[in-house]
Amino acid sequence: MAQFFDEPSRTFNEYLLVPGYSSAECIPDNVDLKTPLVKFKKGEAPALFINIPMVSAIMQSVSGEKMAIALAQEGGISFIYGSQSVEDEAEMVARVKAYKAGFVPSDTNLSPEDTMQDCLDIKQRTGHSTVAITSDGTANGQFLGIVTSRDYRVSRMDPATKVKAFMTPKDKVVSAPEGTTLKEANNIIWDNKLNTLPIINKDGTLAYFVFRKDYSVHKSNPLELLDSKKRYLVGAGINTRDYAERVPALIDAGTDVLCIDSSEGFTEWQRLTLGWIREHYGDRVKVGAGNVVDAEGFRFLAEAGADFVKVGIGGGSICITREQKGIGRGQATAVIEVARARDEYYKETGVYIPICSDGGIVYDHHITLALAMGADFVMLGRYFSRFDESPTRTVTINGNYMKEYWGEGSSRARNWQRYDMGGKKELSFEEGVDSYVPYAGSLHDNVTGTLSKIRSTMCNCGALSISDFQQNAKLTLVSATSITEGGAHDVILKDTNVQPIR
């Protein structure tokens, strides 16, 4: 006979947090949102942390390189979408790793014989206004000078003008020799009022650039997520089909952590994928797996070697798996059960495996509830898709600015790799929709507001860290009537267009 669960599966909106005692120390500025990203043994520190409990979803419409850079600046991490060629995904990862290194390799180079139009094309393609001029137009050629935004005015110059006519030659460029420390480089930049400092090898070739903006960004983003070489951390999605080709390419590109992007994680395919990674890389490569919705699924992936486990099936705003296939579980119930299984596994083995709540987040406070229920961090799709940094178009619909947003299970994404269908290479039916979401502006402004709410709520509950919050939060189920009571009710909201009589 089929197994039946006694309790209905519930969503985040069916719970509220009950305030706890708040000491004088419980102020938002004192709340530490640092959380483990990958598993660790009792008494040891995790190999990877994130400074805020937010990661962006492995989706074409969410996690490109701009999102990865912007989120890492805030302290979170993006998982570059894997529904693209191995080469394109690896190149995207490499560009993120090169973006922030203190010492940045030059990936935009021209020769003196190139033209103004070539400069404009580079800026259009990469956003870079600083271009290294070398003898052969490559990063390995002899350094001859630079072109910056100061060197040309588009409206005053023929696009066919050769670079040698307007570049700043090397004898007029302030530079520094290889071996200069980052602190020394920054001092040179500030002393000479520079925006860019080339670092030159002994043989006269360009080694790196150091940018003034990187110093400024670091000062304004104290939580930015950096590796040991001061590069942004970035994740990448893989599937259970071409991992033998994709994983090595992503590792070579500098990926810090991988995650299997799959519609359902309690499968032999995920065990085989994790087994192959462990066989070839041991524990050096960190990889998350999922998604699951119960203790049995968690235990399976934990024993298969997952470094973190994603929780949630059918709860995403663009996901129609529950409608199409009738499988899934309310996100709150799934997180609660898997968190208990995680804690039991930790007691048994001394190995703590973080869990990621993926889906079901509608309001900011749902993130806080997920953390209280035991999630170590949350994966967000719709939330991040609304921002300037997502890779989709901004469009106008009925006078309102919107962003395109589609699911990986939609026909538009054509991401059949995430579905284990016995060898089939196309979707028989959709499990995601193509949609729009309201445009919300910059990631920084929105994430700052969301984190402010999380910290404030944690203070109301007397918690200054996520682990403390998980241990001591008090949650209560709410009725439909109390949900109504929680919002504005029995009033007529003001219309800003109404004019007073007097």
Side-chain angles (χ1 to χ4, degrees):
M1 182 178 178
Q3 178 183 357
F4 290 86
F5 292 90
D6 294 331
E7 292 291 327
S9 64
R10 301 186 182 278
T11 67
F12 293 130
N13 227 35
E14 295 178 78
Y15 287 89
L16 285 175
L17 283 155
V18 176
Y21 171 72
S22 299
S23 69
E25 293 181 331
C26 286
I27 58 174
D29 286 346
N30 289 341
V31 174
D32 184 1
L33 293 178
K34 191 174 185 179
T35 189
L37 180 62
V38 297
K39 68 183 177 184
F40 60 94
K41 292 181 180 179
K42 187 175 183 179
E44 298 180 0
L48 291 174
F49 274 102
I50 47 179
N51 291 325
I52 63 172
M54 302 169 73
V55 305
S56 67
I58 312 168
M59 299 175 69
Q60 295 174 9
S61 57
V62 178
S63 294
E65 60 193 270
K66 288 184 179 180
M67 179 64 66
I69 292 166
L71 185 51
Q73 288 174 346
E74 301 301 323
I77 193 168
S78 289
F79 287 86
I80 300 295
Y81 64 91
S83 50
Q84 58 181 320
S85 72
V86 173
E87 294 77 15
D88 287 347
E89 185 179 12
E91 287 178 8
M92 195 173 285
V93 167
R95 287 194 293 271
V96 175
K97 297 303 291 186
Y99 185 89
K100 172 70 178 183
F103 297 99
V104 182
S106 177
D107 61 356
T108 51
N109 308 280
L110 292 174
S111 78
E113 298 302 315
D114 288 313
T115 66
M116 162 63 73
Q117 187 60 53
D118 293 316
C119 292
L120 298 177
D121 290 343
I122 283 177
K123 187 171 184 180
Q124 175 67 27
R125 186 175 71 252
T126 67
H128 298 169
S129 58
T130 297
V131 181
I133 308 304
T134 63
S135 57
D136 59 2
T138 73
N140 299 318
Q142 288 289 305
F143 178 70
L144 300 180
I146 60 173
V147 169
T148 71
S149 57
R150 296 178 179 178
D151 292 319
Y152 59 89
R153 295 292 182 269
V154 176
S155 61
R156 300 179 184 177
M157 194 177 298
D158 185 341
T161 303
K162 290 190 175 182
V163 167
K164 62 185 178 182
F166 58 89
M167 73 180 198
T168 301
K170 66 178 181 180
D171 59 343
K172 294 184 179 180
V173 174
V174 177
S175 62
E178 186 181 15
T180 301
T181 67
L182 185 59
K183 182 177 181 179
E184 290 170 341
N186 281 322
N187 286 338
I188 294 172
I189 287 173
W190 285 98
D191 290 344
N192 291 275
K193 299 180 180 180
L194 305 174
N195 289 321
T196 307
L197 178 70
I199 306 296
I200 309 300
N201 291 317
K202 292 180 180 178
D203 62 2
T205 58
L206 177 66
Y208 304 103
F209 278 128
V210 177
F211 293 98
R212 182 191 188 104
K213 67 176 183 179
D214 285 345
Y215 179 84
S216 300
V217 166
H218 178 68
K219 284 294 186 181
S220 61
N221 294 284
L223 294 179
E224 63 181 351
L225 201 61
L226 305 175
D227 65 15
S228 60
K229 297 180 180 179
K230 298 186 182 298
R231 303 175 300 179
Y232 286 133
L233 262 62
V234 62
I238 61 173
N239 60 71
T240 58
R241 296 173 181 267
D242 66 5
Y243 52 83
E245 177 186 3
R246 191 173 294 268
V247 170
L250 292 173
I251 296 303
D252 289 344
T255 307
D256 297 284
V257 59
L258 303 170
C259 185
I260 301 173
D261 178 28
S262 178
S263 60
E264 206 274 301
F266 195 177
T267 72
E268 180 73 1
W269 310 109
Q270 294 225 358
R271 188 187 67 78
L272 292 172
T273 304
L274 290 166
W276 185 91
I277 293 172
R278 294 293 169 244
E279 178 185 353
H280 288 80
Y281 295 95
D283 292 329
R284 300 191 311 277
V285 171
K286 306 303 180 183
V287 55
N291 287 20
V292 299
V293 292
D294 63 7
E296 191 177 3
F298 170 84
R299 174 73 63 156
F300 172 81
L301 291 177
E303 293 176 348
D307 285 294
F308 66 86
V309 173
K310 285 204 299 159
V311 181
I313 294 176
S317 60
I318 41 70
C319 184
I320 55 173
T321 295
R322 296 179 191 177
E323 295 177 31
Q324 294 282 58
K325 298 170 68 175
I327 65 170
R329 202 174 195 190
Q331 189 67 9
T333 297
V335 170
I336 291 168
E337 179 172 326
V338 173
R340 286 173 179 162
R342 184 263 326 275
D343 293 343
E344 290 172 3
Y345 187 83
Y346 181 53
K347 290 179 182 178
E348 291 175 20
T349 66
V351 176
Y352 186 93
I353 301 179
I355 64 171
C356 167
S357 178
D358 177 20
I361 303 293
V362 181
Y363 306 108
D364 287 351
H365 75 270
H366 289 171
I367 300 175
T368 316
L369 286 167
L371 298 174
M373 291 172 181
D376 295 282
F377 53 96
V378 298
M379 179 171 277
L380 303 162
R382 182 195 62 84
Y383 178 91
F384 286 117
S385 71
R386 303 171 300 148
F387 304 150
D388 292 320
E389 294 81 2
S390 74
T392 63
R393 295 185 305 169
T394 303
V395 299
T396 304
I397 300 177
N398 297 325
N400 298 312
Y401 287 105
M402 311 290 283
K403 291 278 284 185
E404 295 177 314
Y405 179 45
W406 61 90
E408 290 297 291
S410 66
S411 291
R412 180 171 183 174
R414 301 188 64 79
N415 186 9
W416 58 266
Q417 294 96 332
R418 72 194 304 267
Y419 297 90
D420 299 310
M421 301 176 292
K424 293 179 65 177
K425 293 189 176 182
E426 59 183 14
L427 297 175
S428 299
F429 52 85
E430 289 185 296
E431 291 188 40
V433 299
D434 197 344
S435 65
Y436 299 101
V437 290
Y439 167 70
S442 75
L443 180 145
H444 172 76
D445 292 343
N446 285 273
V447 167
T448 298
T450 297
L451 294 177
S452 177
K453 295 176 187 177
I454 294 172
R455 291 188 177 99
S456 179
T457 302
M458 287 174 62
C459 286
N460 292 144
C461 297
L464 292 175
S465 69
I466 290 176
S467 60
D468 187 23
F469 194 38
Q470 292 170 339
Q471 293 296 318
N472 299 309
K474 297 182 290 184
L475 294 112
T476 181
L477 279 167
V478 295
S479 67
T481 304
S482 63
I483 292 175
T484 302
E485 179 185 64
H489 60 91
D490 300 316
V491 295
I492 299 174
L493 297 180
K494 284 188 175 181
D495 185 342
T496 55
N497 293 319
V498 173
Q499 299 297 317
I501 295 176
R502 61 175 73 179

